Amino acid sequence: MIKITTPSRLHITLIDMNGEIGRVDGGAGLTLSSPNIKVTAVEADGIKIEGLQGFADRMRKAAESLLPEGKGVRIHVEELIPAHVGFGSGTQSALAAAAAVNELYGLGKSVRELAFAVKRGGTSGIGVTAFEKGGFIVDGGHRFKDKGAFMPSAASRVPPGPVLFREDFPDWDIVIAVPNEKGMYDQQEINVFQEFCPLPIEEVREVAHMVLMKMMPAVIEGDIENFGAAVNHVQTVGFNKRESLIWPDFVKNIASFMRSRSYGAGVSSFGPVVYAFVDNREEGRQLQAEVQKMLDESVGGITMMTRAKNSGAEVSKV
């Protein structure tokens, strides 16, 4: 039996949605220790997905793309990451199923090869690298001539971009709000990319400057004040700025409140997950309680406090 526990991820920003110098996408993000996807897998006749069913179709297709001819797999899903909220659940669920088949049948494929097989990482490589290595990640996007258009990962057919920077993330507490709503996905995502891209090159340069000269050094130096300031800044420019135009009011309100009570806060990917960085556990718990009250009085949802995960998915034989 194969047992797999995946991390989740926060996507902090895309970098270049202009393409003028020949590359697009690129981004910065962070691996989380929770929430997780947990599955077990054994050889079987055909493909069977048992237990929690939130990603059954995606897992079935992922397993099918890797299975040797005449072989099968039974995957039991014990725990899931909430779907379409900003945790990267699509990538983690597909890679969990693919990795299970890879281990069961000794296929010897790398995580990046698995990602290409299951068509993940075509815009952001953060989720793939989170599964592979964990930590804080900056990826270099794709050659525009290879990708050919501005589009989300789920609609892209190129491999994950190269990892430019991967560093262990400091042991800071991260307060997370998960509203009881879904973010944009599928055709809605595609429409947003088509509507807003290409972005002005000046904004791309501003985001790149902030990531390279503020966010990355702050991770290395354990400087939560400057890291938080960088997170706050990239919410106001580039693709994040366009996403903020279509956030519902409850997301804007929660993000603004969390920003006022932390070093930095943002909305992950298309949301509606909002995250904030704190360095005091008691203050973090207080913020969590206050945000939970905001959720209870609006759309509902849950809050949690977690930390970064500086290693990838856990894959073992039991």
Side-chain angles (χ1 to χ4, degrees):
M1 177 186 291
I2 304 299
K3 184 175 182 178
I4 297 175
T5 300
T6 81
S8 48
R9 64 97 174 106
L10 298 175
H11 196 277
I12 297 172
T13 186
L14 287 167
I15 296 175
D16 190 338
M17 302 311 292
N18 173 275
E20 182 178 294
I21 62 172
R23 296 191 76 84
V24 291
D25 306 325
L30 172 64
T31 313
L32 297 179
S33 58
S34 62
N36 312 101
I37 291 174
K38 294 183 179 181
V39 304
T40 58
V42 296
E43 295 183 26
D45 294 327
I47 302 173
K48 301 180 179 67
I49 312 296
E50 301 174 347
L52 300 175
Q53 292 293 301
F55 297 103
D57 288 343
R58 189 185 300 274
M59 288 184 172
R60 186 175 291 105
K61 290 176 182 176
E64 189 175 29
S65 69
L66 270 298
L67 277 168
E69 187 174 351
K71 301 294 185 179
V73 62
R74 186 173 78 245
I75 297 174
H76 183 82
V77 184
E78 299 176 358
E79 194 171 316
L80 282 178
I81 297 169
H84 303 307
V85 299
F87 282 136
S89 58
T91 295
Q92 300 305 317
S93 59
L95 287 176
V101 172
N102 190 47
E103 290 295 317
L104 275 175
Y105 291 104
L107 304 183
K109 293 186 179 295
S110 69
V111 171
R112 295 177 72 81
E113 288 172 328
L114 296 178
F116 184 65
V118 301
K119 300 181 174 63
R120 302 304 300 183
T123 295
S124 166
I126 304 301
V128 174
T129 309
F131 188 95
E132 182 182 22
K133 298 178 180 179
F136 176 82
I137 304 146
V138 177
D139 81 270
H142 305 90
R143 289 180 294 187
F144 195 57
K145 67 178 183 180
D146 293 339
K147 189 168 180 180
F150 299 98
M151 62 183 72
S153 292
S156 305
R157 295 295 177 264
V158 289
V163 177
L164 305 180
F165 179 83
R166 185 268 164 210
E167 184 77 12
D168 281 1
F169 195 76
D171 197 24
W172 302 327
D173 287 313
I174 307 168
V175 179
I176 307 277
V178 190
N180 191 23
E181 295 281 348
K182 301 296 184 185
M184 288 175 290
Y185 58 97
D186 294 345
Q187 189 61 46
Q188 292 175 305
E189 277 190 327
I190 294 171
N191 293 345
V192 171
F193 277 81
Q194 291 176 342
E195 178 181 356
F196 292 121
C197 299
L199 297 182
I201 190 63
E202 294 80 9
E203 293 192 45
V204 170
R205 291 168 180 159
E206 186 175 347
V207 173
H209 191 190
M210 191 60 51
V211 171
L212 179 63
M213 293 303 294
K214 200 173 186 81
M215 193 177 292
M216 289 162 57
V219 171
I220 294 172
E221 294 174 350
D223 181 351
I224 193 171
E225 185 172 339
N226 274 303
F227 183 82
V231 168
N232 287 340
H233 190 106
V234 298
Q235 305 302 308
T236 67
V237 66
F239 200 72
N240 282 352
K241 178 181 178 181
R242 275 64 185 183
E243 289 177 329
S244 71
L245 299 174
I246 47 184
W247 291 340
D249 286 343
F250 70 85
V251 171
K252 296 177 183 179
N253 294 339
I254 291 170
S256 177
F257 179 75
M258 292 177 75
R259 189 167 295 115
S260 72
R261 299 288 298 275
S262 68
Y263 286 98
V267 178
S268 181
S269 191
F270 276 96
V273 157
V274 186
Y275 58 88
F277 299 95
V278 298
D279 65 352
N280 181 295
R281 176 63 60 90
E282 185 176 338
E283 291 177 4
R285 292 293 185 201
Q286 181 64 31
L287 176 60
Q288 183 183 356
E290 291 172 346
V291 173
Q292 184 66 59
K293 184 178 179 182
M294 293 178 71
L295 286 174
D296 292 344
E297 293 174 351
S298 57
V299 298
I302 61 170
T303 59
M304 63 184 75
M305 193 152 68
T306 186
R307 292 188 176 184
K309 180 176 172 59
N310 288 319
S311 57
E314 299 161 19
V315 182
S316 60
K317 290 186 177 181
V318 294

